[in-house]
Amino acid sequence: MTLLARPPSATAPSAPRGAAPVTALACAEARLLLRHPLVVLALAGQIALLTRRALTGSAYPVLHVIDRETQYGPLLIGLATLIAANAALLRSHRHGTDAQFGVLVVPEWRRTSAHLLSVIPVALVVAALVAGEFTRDALRPGAVGHASVPELATGPAVVALLGVAGVVLGRATRSPLAAPLAVVGLLALLLGLATASGGGRWLAPIAFDEGDGALPSGLVARPAGWHLLYLTGLAALLGAGAVRFGGGRTRLVSVVASLAAAATLAGAVGQARGTGESVALARAQALSDPSDQQVCVLRGVVTYCAFPEFLPWVDEWERVVGEVLTGPGTPIGDHAFTVRQRVSVESGTGATGGEAPRVSPGEVTASTAWGGDLDLGFAAGVAREVVVHDVTTAGVYCDARAVLITWLAVNGVPDGPARFERTLERQHAGGGAILLSSGAPVALRERETAVVRALFDRPAAEVGQRVRTHWAELTAPGTSTDRAARLLGVGAPAETAADREWGCA
Amino acid sequence: MRVRRRAAGTDAARRSRARPGTASALVRAEARGVPWRLPAAAWGAGLVLAVAVALLPEVGAEQRLGLLRVVALCGAVGVAFALDDPARHTTRVAPVGRPLRQGLRLALLLPSAAVWWAVVVAVGRGVDPGPPALALTVEAAALAALAVALAAGGIRFSGTTGPGAAVAGALLALFTVAMVLPEGRTPFVPLGDARWTSVHLGWCVALAVGAVAWPLLAREPCGSRR
């Protein structure tokens, strides 16, 4: 009878205290969430995409552009998580077992907490993917710029927010339509706000900023930190709201809800303020006259001026300049000029407006992007400086100079002829070609294109010898394309109707 | 085993030869069985979006096309719930086959979907330039046919009573994947693209495949408990 001496105090069923049951349920739900078909599909798609990018992506990433590009994949994973978390919460309703859960000692609000916590592992997996993606790019030898941690953390935060939104939707309504409609709404929001400007677009999970080039990181000024605060605050607020709604009226929940509300409000206000006056001024200056913000280095006879972050690319520019200047056709001389980096008007972060850039004579423009076929356009800019000493002409040269500029540019880059053809293929079939040089584009008509193509079939050394012999005549403004073709030993086709539509310089 | 299979087979054959009177008797029951609220809510949301697209002044033609495709997705999500039937396990003993019961449901639901889409197109026509209505209609119809085929497949190959939620999820996944495909491969071609006609022929094929897949998937498996 000694067994009865101890009073049966712990046998009465009461709600178990402590975090153990919630943690156990959260772990189980997290495993199920990570195995949900849509989450698996989204994660697998993202991994496949990242693998492809790691193998074939640009060798010259700008890290403060790459950081915000890590958010697109997580957004889609977040949509999948929203549906999966909602389905997990409604599982008992679908299977008609809500009544059974009602007699469990773990109350509804604690089960809701577990569902909310189950989203965290998905966010951690996404964080690992983002970290891997960014590390791969940061380790590339040509990487420049400075990434922002809030931008990198936005992807995982979006996943957490959308997962929490799925749970909250499930608590708010049992309709199986709620989650799909929420995703449809988000898709519409993203499609509709993709091109919107102003502070309001930051209310969406991610704010798109796409542009042709990059600004220096100091001029980006995206309110990423405020946005991260807004996202995490909103996730915590929604979660605390759902727990409170389910009966969890503890002090901790109240404190979390109040803090989250304050954080959401602060984030929303902070991100809507827009960029400051000083940043706008600095941007306008970077666009019109960037020399004050740049560092110049002299290599041989050429001066290279770049925004400090982009200095590692000077070696790349120097390689192309060297190839053009010492190519088979260029006469040896000490023609001094400057390569200046410029941001394009369409650079991301909604930085539009300001004066159009004033390009001074003797300055070749390099952009804030590099890699791929961009060196061909840059080589065209250098060749134009060498041939006509004037980089400000926007028109097309309809004479020997166009042939010469293009031939020098194509010979200044590795595998030039094939890449010239690729550039032409990408352009619409309107005849002629535009070599995208930053600054004024180098364009040529169908007729000059045909002559250049004919020159590719001849040995470069032989053409180079002829170019050097007739350099003065080929660079003179009046020399016709027919004459150039004769001097270089090839034939020139007649002028086409499309050719006559170009405005000649 | 063989005896049971044969019995089930003859059962299915007998069901498929249901008399015409049976169909008319079933119409009211099936009309009650269709979860009207779900399609109505999805279509309502789609209509709100279509009106918003027509009213917002700063939406460009390309963006409008994208948003109207989301409206078409709303329509398909609504249709996805057409075959949801909580009483599925009790109605399987009814003396008519699954094709007739599902066919009746679709005959009740799809005309409403068509009317809804006509209203969406009419709303879209209110702005200039209007969207390419015929091409969008083909896309919307193909999405809806896909939804029906997936729902019928869900019922055919599982014991679920409500495949709608899963089908809606699958549609969203397909739509999103199609949307993020690179420009040269996406079935959602931009306006004025060279692939416009060929891709829309592809949409026609998808519509035909979906329409053919449903009667095949609606058949009851012989000798199965499902």
Side-chain angles (χ1 to χ4, degrees), chain A residues 435-452:
Chain A
L435 296 180
L436 279 172
S437 151
S438 11
V442 176
L444 69 162
R445 309 182 302 170
E446 272 178 21
R447 189 163 188 239
E448 283 74 31
T449 309
V451 175
V452 172

Side-chain angles (χ1 to χ4, degrees), chain B residues 165-207:
Chain B
V167 172
L171 283 174
L172 288 171
L174 285 172
F175 186 90
T176 314
V177 167
M179 219 173 62
V180 298
L181 279 177
E183 209 163 86
R185 296 202 184 146
T186 175
F188 295 124
V189 274
L191 285 172
D193 193 282
R195 300 189 309 134
W196 182 272
T197 313
S198 61
V199 167
H200 280 95
L201 282 176
W203 279 106
C204 289
V205 172
L207 172 60

Side-chain angles (χ1 to χ4, degrees), chain A residues 38 41 76 79 83 94 175-177 179-181 183-185 187-196, chain B residues 37-38 41-42 45 49 63 66-67 70 73-74 77 81 165 168-170 172-173 175-177 179-180:
Chain A
L38 287 186
L41 177 75
L76 300 187
L79 294 180
I83 291 189
R94 272 200 313 280
S175 169
L177 189 67
L181 272 195
V183 172
V184 166
L187 286 176
L189 189 77
L190 293 169
L191 281 175
L193 288 180
T195 55
Chain B
R37 269 191 218 166
L38 297 174
L49 180 58
Q63 218 175 350
L67 287 168
V70 175
L73 175 68
C74 280
V77 164
F81 293 92
L172 288 171
F175 186 90
T176 314
V177 167
M179 219 173 62
V180 298

Side-chain angles (χ1 to χ4, degrees), chain B residues 100-135:
Chain B
L100 179 64
R101 280 179 284 140
Q102 289 191 357
L104 280 176
R105 278 177 167 242
L106 295 178
L108 287 165
L109 195 85
L110 291 183
S112 329
V115 170
W116 166 79
W117 180 251
V119 173
V120 166
V121 170
V123 170
R125 284 261 163 126
V127 286
D128 188 56
L134 183 64

Side-chain angles (χ1 to χ4, degrees), chain A residues 354-402:
Chain A
E355 292 174 50
R358 278 195 321 274
V359 182
S360 352
E363 271 190 7
V364 177
T365 302
S367 78
T368 50
W370 192 251
D373 287 338
L374 288 173
D375 54 353
L376 184 58
F378 177 65
V382 175
R384 177 167 55 182
E385 170 60 30
V386 171
V387 173
V388 295
H389 307 317
D390 177 17
V391 292
T392 52
T393 316
V396 52
Y397 296 106
C398 306
D399 52 20
R401 293 174 296 177

